[in-house]
Amino acid sequence: MSDDLLQGTGDAVADAVPEAELAPKEDLDKLMEMLGKLPAFAGVDKETLLKNLGQGKARPPIGDVVANPWVEFLVLFTMISLVILLLAFIGYKLYTNMASKEKRRELKKAQKDQKKKK
């Protein structure tokens, strides 16, 4: 899907910008010159970026891309579900604790009232 989106964006740019204004080699050289000035930009990252840009992949080397976006969705859904379950468990425990304390208080009060009546 990202390839389709990237291709569609490239087509839109190609339609909007005349061919005379497109100079990918010069733009790539300017980009690499600016990246070379950055002190934290390592040589391996620079080589990977050059390779990706040369193949038409306009994505910096941030990390591995998951091929199936449903995997990312599943992981996100699982994490959110675990957090909700944890909060529900904590809430349930608090509720039962408060209910038992209230019940004990009422029983104590009832016992006091019975002792007074005797």
Side-chain angles (χ1 to χ4, degrees):
M1 176 167 167
S2 63
D3 293 335
D4 295 338
L5 182 62
L6 186 61
Q7 182 65 33
T9 306
D11 292 343
V13 169
D15 292 342
V17 179
E19 286 295 323
E21 294 181 17
L22 292 177
K25 181 66 175 158
E26 293 174 12
D27 290 341
L28 183 60
D29 291 339
K30 287 180 184 177
L31 176 66
M32 292 314 298
E33 182 181 321
M34 286 188 279
L35 290 176
K37 292 178 182 177
L38 293 175
F41 199 67
V44 176
D45 291 338
K46 189 186 298 184
E47 292 171 12
T48 308
L49 180 62
L50 270 175
K51 187 176 84 174
N52 287 344
L53 289 173
Q55 294 174 354
K57 298 177 184 175
R59 178 175 289 159
I62 294 173
D64 293 335
V65 177
V66 177
N68 190 355
W70 285 103
V71 173
E72 290 179 358
F73 174 74
L74 184 63
V75 169
L76 177 67
F77 182 74
T78 304
M79 291 298 170
I80 290 173
S81 298
L82 287 174
V83 168
I84 290 172
L85 285 173
L86 181 66
L87 289 175
F89 179 73
I90 291 171
Y92 173 75
K93 284 295 190 178
L94 286 173
Y95 173 75
T96 55
N97 189 17
M98 288 174 50
S100 66
K101 279 185 180 180
E102 185 67 29
K103 197 172 192 178
R104 278 185 262 146
R105 219 178 277 139
E106 288 175 6
L107 286 173
K108 220 178 201 184
K109 189 175 183 181
Q111 286 175 355
K112 259 188 186 178
D113 290 341
Q114 283 180 356
K115 282 183 181 179
K116 283 183 182 179
K117 287 181 181 180
K118 286 184 180 183

